[in-house]
Amino acid sequence: MVQPWMVSILSTAYDLKDYRQEVIAVLKKKGFSVSAYELPEFPVETNLHSHDSCLAALGRVDIAIVIIDKRSGGTYCGTEESTKGYTITEAEYLGAIKRGIPVFLFVNKKTYDEHHAYKKSFKKFCIDEGYLSKESKDVLSYREEFDKKYICTYVEKTQTLHFIDDVQNSFLEHETSNWMDFYTNVNELKDAIEGKLSGYSRMLIQRLAEAQKESLLNRHTSTAIGMSLGDVFSSEYYIEAPHKIVSGGAKIKNKSSKLSDEIKEVLPTSNSILIYGEAGYGKTTILAKCFSDHVDGLKDSPEYDLPLFLPLRNKGSNYSFDIEEFIANDMEELMSKEKYPNLNLRQLKIRLYCDGFDELAESLSTADLNRIRNSSIFKYQLVLTCRQQYTTRYLNEYNFSDKFGIRVKMNKWDIATAKNYISNFYLKGEMDKEKGEKIIKAIEDNNDLQELLDSPLLVTMFLWFLDNRQDEGSIEDISRVELFSCWMTDLSKRECAKAKTSTVSNEILVQLWEFIAWKLYLHRIQNLKLKVADMNDMVEHRFEGLFYGNVEPWLDALFECKSGVINGTFHEQFMEYLVARLLVDSCIHKSEPYPEFLQMVVRPEINRYFRGIWKEKSRKEQETIYEAIREQYLYNIGKNTIEAISTRVHAAYHMCRLESKKREESIEQAFNSENHISVRLSLYFGAIKMGRLDREEEFYNILSKDENLSKANRGYHLAYYADAIYENEMPYYDDEYSDWQSTLRAFERHFESDELGHFFLRRIDLLTMNELMKARKKVSPLTQKKVEFFGQKIEKCKYVNIPEYNEYIQKVKKEFGKLVKLFKKFE
């Protein structure tokens, strides 16, 4: 339950009645709840003395305000032995300290002046009586004698002055603040109270950061299946991931230090920091390490450089990126508190650690990006993580380019890093070290395994797989899909065993996870939140009551939920894999979401998993899947609705990439019957990646002569790589002014790749670049450096010495020559 911020007013009663009323009114107007004895709602315990009721009421407050004037109150008459001899106000003050409640003290200036005069008089008395040479504790024993002679000038009794002594000694005795503020009238008191409540913002943000850290480190993590991030760090499994400082490296003085230390060093003095890379490369883990280290540092040295952690997963494109709204939401979620009424961030230096810009929404418009860039959160220094393709698509343009003074690219793991992690895993875990050595030996000379083990996620899943496999067979043929499949099977069996139910099998449970992952993905595309309550109704219908309309107990092992909303799986790749499984199965059984998913632009990662899962199926199932996709292509031929055209585009995509025995026949049939430009583009690209160089020659010639097709080809690239946003009409025609930065980056990836399919696209890629430059009559975003990059990749191509590709390579070189000439013309 979310509670308001409650402030307790501790003071004497009758002499400060008017002051208390005005303070109470100000606090309530600001939005605080107030705990004060004179209020009707003040709790009275029917079995306690009234003084003990006052002490008990402290248990509900967040902040205590102590006001000291002439009096310190009547003698405490309750049952608490430790407060015997104190006044009730003093007893409340001590009670607040013992409970760890922040206490702010306000003393009348006249009272404090008399306290100062009293100390001088007492010192003179000790000198005159010859007591000053005694030990201090003995000197204090004469205070009672002095008090009998002392005549108060402002306070009612000397006990009020002794209360101030107790306050001044509170740090030594209780390790709590002994700070006091002074006032001479009620207006000064109200101003001082408001100032201190605003000043408490620093400590409040630190408390929130500590709560965020605890929540973050309790998260499941891909770097140690079945463990939390906190377990990874405390068990010392964590190792530094491979990375490269792409820009801003000159600001880092100690180049040999750990990345987390480098980020901590430069963040206060630089612009923001961008950490990007492919999925599973450890972006979230390094961000969590930086954030948790920053929070830990506050314990030893309180600072005004304060960290806050903002996970962007599933926030949606409409997320406000307002700093105060974000703080209020997390305070509600993690501390069960309403928005702090006197929050003041002006004097604080907030450093934001933002995770998963790529998981914010499935797509962002130019308007979204401009709004985000101008939001209050992006006015702060931040460390932001993002997948590489989304970085290229969104963060290299739209005025983000000047935001990040340092850019760090997380690289895929090389074999040395993987071996280091495996050795560390077996060493720190006190496991079978000999087994670890055998695993390292087995992968050293296996290039296929080395390609697989390119991230901490996959390395850890690989180790888990080896520890849990039933046979001792070869490890050389393990695939990425097999790792995910085996992990899902094991996790589902574990969850079913925990639930102790015979009605839900582990196979059914995985199907549930697939369905939830699909709905989550669909909601992201539609920019909607997936609520657990709504999911219950959908599951009840699909699984015919097997889960009794309550999926929540089955979510914790795999999904991250917050405030009744499913935000994602604990790693994005698990969602992508589960969605791909459901799409494959839906083709086999012709069930939801088949055939509707063929109308959608599905993530490339999901399509890759789709093909990987297809390969793992039996030959009969493969042909069933292929036929289901081909059936939808044939069913929609001749129809001109956007749904029919989209279905044919995406069906053609799969028909070209799935190695069915019907593929050649199906593609030829599609070429002979298809007239729509967008679908023909999809067919050409698919056929070329299949190695059909005759179709590549045909496509090249048409593109070179047919301006309409060339314009559609350019628009196809701009739309696919999100350089331009089009309405739901196909074909997409090049507007001839949109920047093509993301498209260029895609071409670079094609030339960097050793995949044969990408090699076969090279001439078309070069032709498309030429046509984009011609249409704009300028070279940007192409640069001389990038031209040289393409030239080097052509000269050092993996396939350059294979005779059967010699003719094609010469055509590529010729087209590159045209690009160089055109670049010089428009440069």
Side-chain angles (χ1 to χ4, degrees):
M1 181 179 178
V2 180
Q3 297 177 328
W5 288 91
M6 181 166 285
V7 179
S8 180
I9 311 297
L10 309 180
S11 76
T12 51
Y14 301 109
D15 58 326
L16 290 174
K17 180 179 179 181
D18 293 341
Y19 277 44
R20 289 174 63 92
Q21 287 179 350
E22 292 209 36
V23 169
I24 290 169
V26 167
L27 291 173
K28 284 190 171 183
K29 186 176 180 180
K30 291 291 291 185
F32 289 99
S33 290
V34 180
S35 177
Y37 71 87
E38 61 264 67
L39 296 177
E41 64 270 20
F42 186 80
V44 174
E45 307 295 331
T46 56
N47 61 335
L48 295 179
H49 188 281
S50 60
H51 286 182
D52 285 337
S53 286
C54 290
L55 296 183
L58 290 169
R60 66 182 186 148
V61 307
D62 303 293
I63 297 170
I65 290 174
V66 179
I67 306 171
I68 303 175
D69 194 26
K70 293 181 178 182
R71 302 173 63 246
S72 60
T75 302
Y76 169 72
C77 299
T79 58
E80 180 62 48
E81 289 295 326
S82 63
T83 53
K84 294 292 185 182
Y86 290 98
T87 68
I88 177 56
T89 305
E90 291 171 326
E92 287 179 302
Y93 168 68
L94 291 172
I97 288 174
K98 290 176 182 177
R99 286 176 169 83
I101 298 169
V103 178
F104 299 116
L105 294 119
F106 303 89
V107 181
N108 191 303
K109 184 67 166 57
K110 292 181 181 178
T111 303
Y112 190 75
D113 287 344
E114 181 165 4
H115 173 261
H116 181 69
Y118 171 90
K119 289 175 69 176
K120 289 177 65 175
S121 297
F122 180 55
K123 182 178 181 180
K124 184 177 183 304
F125 168 77
C126 292
I127 292 172
D128 292 344
E129 298 296 326
Y131 301 145
L132 198 61
S133 62
K134 303 283 186 180
E135 296 290 334
S136 59
K137 60 181 179 180
D138 294 326
V139 171
L140 290 176
S141 68
Y142 295 103
R143 192 170 65 178
E144 186 176 346
E145 179 184 345
F146 174 72
D147 284 355
K148 291 176 182 178
K149 300 176 181 180
Y150 181 79
I151 298 174
C152 296
T153 60
Y154 180 74
V155 300
E156 186 178 275
K157 295 179 181 180
T158 56
Q159 189 164 2
T160 303
L161 305 177
H162 301 329
F163 187 8
I164 294 176
D165 285 330
D166 292 340
V167 170
Q168 289 182 327
N169 294 326
S170 60
F171 185 79
L172 294 174
E173 295 182 10
H174 305 288
E175 295 186 351
T176 190
S177 175
N178 60 352
W179 186 274
M180 290 184 290
D181 280 271
F182 306 107
Y183 66 92
T184 59
N185 55 56
V186 70
N187 288 329
E188 286 186 5
L189 175 61
K190 289 188 292 185
D191 289 344
I193 288 173
E194 186 165 349
K196 280 293 171 289
L197 291 175
S198 293
Y200 184 58
S201 297
R202 193 211 72 82
M203 192 64 197
L204 192 63
I205 296 300
Q206 180 172 335
R207 284 177 55 193
L208 178 59
E210 290 167 352
Q212 289 178 333
K213 177 195 166 189
E214 181 180 1
S215 175
L216 175 64
L217 295 188
N218 284 334
R219 282 175 53 180
H220 294 299
T221 171
S222 58
T223 52
I225 305 299
M227 299 177 70
S228 68
L229 268 172
D231 295 330
V232 173
F233 296 147
S234 62
S235 301
E236 299 181 354
Y237 286 148
Y238 171 79
I239 64 171
E240 187 85 343
H243 64 274
K244 178 183 179 182
I245 310 296
V246 177
S247 63
K251 299 178 182 179
I252 299 173
K253 298 174 183 176
N254 186 1
K255 300 295 193 300
S256 61
S257 62
K258 293 181 179 178
L259 178 58
S260 56
D261 294 334
E262 291 170 351
I263 289 173
K264 183 180 179 181
E265 173 191 333
V266 301
L267 184 57
T269 58
S270 74
N271 289 338
S272 296
I273 299 172
L274 175 65
I275 302 174
Y276 67 97
E278 299 296 344
Y281 281 14
K283 300 182 297 296
T284 295
T285 304
I286 188 62
L287 189 74
K289 185 74 167 61
C290 294
F291 172 72
S292 59
D293 286 351
H294 196 159
V295 175
D296 288 342
L298 298 176
K299 297 175 183 177
D300 301 325
S301 177
E303 297 178 358
Y304 278 76
D305 281 312
L306 295 166
L308 286 175
F309 190 85
L310 172 56
L312 296 173
R313 174 175 294 182
N314 210 30
K315 293 292 187 187
S317 60
N318 294 325
Y319 183 61
S320 69
F321 281 89
D322 178 77
I323 185 71
E324 293 200 14
E325 182 180 329
F326 153 60
I327 289 172
N329 290 339
D330 259 35
M331 204 170 282
E332 178 178 326
E333 177 69 25
L334 299 174
M335 299 168 65
S336 299
K337 303 299 295 183
E338 292 179 354
K339 181 178 180 180
Y340 183 67
N342 265 47
L343 184 66
N344 183 359
L345 302 178
R346 294 179 64 184
Q347 297 181 349
L348 305 180
K349 298 176 181 177
I350 304 294
R351 316 295 185 193
L352 288 159
Y353 294 79
C354 302
D355 186 33
F357 190 83
D358 52 291
E359 298 176 47
L360 174 67
E362 200 62 23
S363 63
L364 296 168
S365 67
T366 303
D368 292 330
L369 291 162
N370 287 332
R371 177 180 55 80
I372 292 168
R373 178 63 179 85
N374 295 320
S375 67
S376 61
I377 279 180
F378 267 79
K379 286 182 171 60
Y380 288 88
Q381 287 174 307
L382 51 85
V383 185
L384 180 72
T385 68
C386 186
R387 279 199 198 187
Q388 181 159 327
Q389 62 168 299
Y390 287 84
T391 297
T392 303
R393 184 183 301 177
Y394 296 136
L395 299 181
N396 286 342
E397 297 299 324
Y398 303 102
N399 298 318
F400 280 100
S401 56
D402 62 342
K403 176 66 180 175
F404 301 103
I406 296 177
R407 291 176 176 241
V408 181
K409 181 182 179 183
M410 306 302 291
N411 293 325
K412 69 178 181 179
W413 282 26
D414 54 27
I415 188 59
T417 307
K419 285 163 58 178
N420 186 19
Y421 180 84
I422 293 169
S423 177
N424 193 48
F425 184 85
Y426 280 92
L427 179 64
K428 301 296 183 183
E430 297 182 356
M431 299 177 186
D432 187 343
K433 297 178 181 62
E434 185 178 345
K435 183 174 182 179
E437 291 171 358
K438 288 181 179 179
I439 293 172
I440 292 173
K441 180 70 175 173
I443 65 175
E444 279 183 332
D445 299 320
N446 189 317
N447 290 332
D448 289 338
L449 276 181
Q450 291 177 25
E451 284 295 316
L452 172 65
L453 305 180
D454 66 358
S455 70
L457 170 65
L458 294 172
V459 173
T460 307
M461 292 179 71
F462 174 72
L463 295 178
W464 168 87
F465 176 82
L466 296 183
D467 280 341
N468 287 273
R469 69 186 300 174
Q470 301 299 315
D471 60 271
E472 294 294 329
S474 171
I475 65 173
E476 296 178 358
D477 57 350
I478 298 173
S479 68
R480 181 179 299 227
V481 165
E482 186 177 7
L483 287 182
F484 276 93
S485 176
C486 291
W487 191 86
M488 285 295 169
T489 299
D490 185 75
L491 182 63
S492 60
K493 286 180 178 178
R494 189 174 66 189
E495 290 303 297
C496 287
K498 281 166 54 179
K500 298 179 180 178
T501 174
S502 59
T503 57
V504 177
S505 66
N506 72 288
E507 291 89 353
I508 292 294
L509 180 54
V510 174
Q511 290 176 23
L512 171 71
W513 290 340
E514 291 173 7
F515 185 62
I516 295 173
W518 165 250
K519 290 298 180 182
L520 175 65
Y521 180 63
L522 200 59
H523 276 64
R524 285 189 182 176
I525 292 173
Q526 298 167 344
N527 199 24
L528 299 172
K529 303 290 186 185
L530 179 59
K531 297 179 180 178
V532 175
D534 295 338
M535 195 73 246
N536 286 334
D537 295 337
M538 289 184 272
V539 167
E540 182 76 6
H541 174 72
R542 186 177 178 96
F543 291 90
E544 300 179 347
L546 272 178
F547 295 96
Y548 304 103
N550 183 20
V551 300
E552 196 161 1
W554 304 99
L555 295 175
D556 185 59
L558 189 57
F559 293 88
E560 288 186 351
C561 302
K562 191 174 182 180
S563 302
V565 174
I566 304 174
N567 292 317
T569 51
F570 72 81
H571 195 287
E572 194 78 350
Q573 286 194 64
F574 287 97
M575 184 192 76
E576 293 164 350
Y577 168 75
L578 286 166
V579 168
R581 277 185 63 135
L582 183 65
L583 299 185
V584 169
D585 289 342
S586 75
C587 291
I588 294 174
H589 303 292
K590 294 189 176 179
S591 57
E592 183 189 3
Y594 172 88
E596 286 78 11
F597 82 86
L598 290 170
Q599 299 173 12
M600 299 168 51
V601 179
V602 178
R603 279 188 194 178
E605 293 87 355
I606 294 174
N607 283 331
R608 282 196 288 270
Y609 280 122
F610 187 100
R611 294 194 293 274
I613 295 167
W614 184 85
K615 289 180 180 178
E616 300 290 325
K617 294 293 183 180
S618 68
R619 195 63 187 168
K620 181 179 179 181
E621 288 175 318
Q622 287 180 351
E623 294 306 321
T624 299
I625 295 164
Y626 195 91
E627 185 56 38
I629 294 171
R630 180 170 176 267
E631 177 183 302
Q632 285 303 309
Y633 178 84
L634 295 173
Y635 176 76
N636 283 281
I637 282 181
K639 298 179 182 179
N640 291 318
T641 64
I642 186 64
E643 292 81 10
I645 296 167
S646 295
T647 298
R648 299 206 306 278
V649 167
H650 300 124
Y653 173 91
H654 290 294
M655 287 160 56
C656 292
R657 286 160 178 81
L658 300 179
E659 297 176 6
S660 165
K661 61 183 180 182
K662 298 179 181 178
R663 183 168 66 166
E664 294 288 343
E665 174 191 342
S666 300
I667 298 307
E668 285 305 309
Q669 183 180 7
F671 268 114
N672 292 332
S673 60
E674 187 59 65
N675 294 316
H676 196 278
I677 290 178
S678 294
V679 188
R680 289 191 69 81
L681 285 171
S682 183
L683 286 168
Y684 273 120
F685 284 116
I688 292 169
K689 291 192 77 172
M690 287 168 54
R692 290 287 303 274
L693 291 180
D694 57 330
R695 289 293 183 187
E696 191 273 346
E697 178 71 17
E698 177 184 319
F699 189 39
Y700 177 84
N701 289 330
I702 297 173
L703 281 177
S704 301
K705 298 172 184 177
D706 188 334
E707 173 55 28
N708 193 52
L709 185 65
S710 175
K711 193 172 183 178
N713 172 55
R714 300 192 306 266
Y716 179 95
H717 282 81
L718 296 175
Y720 189 79
Y721 297 112
D723 278 320
I725 298 172
Y726 293 87
E727 298 299 325
N728 287 332
E729 288 188 12
M730 291 185 179
Y732 307 129
Y733 286 112
D734 179 16
D735 55 25
E736 301 188 355
Y737 64 80
S738 287
D739 185 78
W740 48 287
Q741 177 74 39
S742 296
T743 300
L744 177 59
R745 178 60 191 139
F747 294 150
E748 290 178 83
R749 289 197 300 270
H750 292 171
F751 276 73
E752 286 174 337
S753 171
D754 285 334
E755 287 185 24
L756 199 54
H758 288 149
F759 168 68
F760 292 140
L761 284 173
R762 286 189 169 189
R763 185 165 63 142
I764 300 299
D765 287 349
L766 290 168
L767 173 61
T768 305
M769 282 189 266
N770 284 332
E771 296 297 325
L772 284 164
M773 281 193 289
K774 284 181 187 177
R776 286 153 182 77
K777 296 182 172 55
K778 63 178 183 179
V779 299
S780 178
L782 197 61
T783 64
Q784 181 62 42
K785 186 176 180 180
K786 292 186 185 296
V787 171
E788 291 170 2
F789 162 83
F790 289 119
Q792 290 169 1
K793 291 297 179 181
I794 291 169
E795 291 299 326
K796 297 179 181 179
C797 175
K798 178 181 178 180
Y799 307 102
V800 72
N801 294 319
I802 299 178
E804 64 181 289
Y805 300 139
N806 183 62
E807 182 181 351
Y808 172 69
I809 289 172
Q810 295 308 313
K811 292 178 181 178
V812 170
K813 289 181 177 180
K814 183 178 180 180
E815 190 63 31
F816 177 69
K818 293 180 182 178
L819 183 139
V820 172
K821 185 176 181 180
L822 198 61
F823 182 85
K824 290 179 180 178
K825 176 181 177 180
F826 290 120
E827 189 180 16

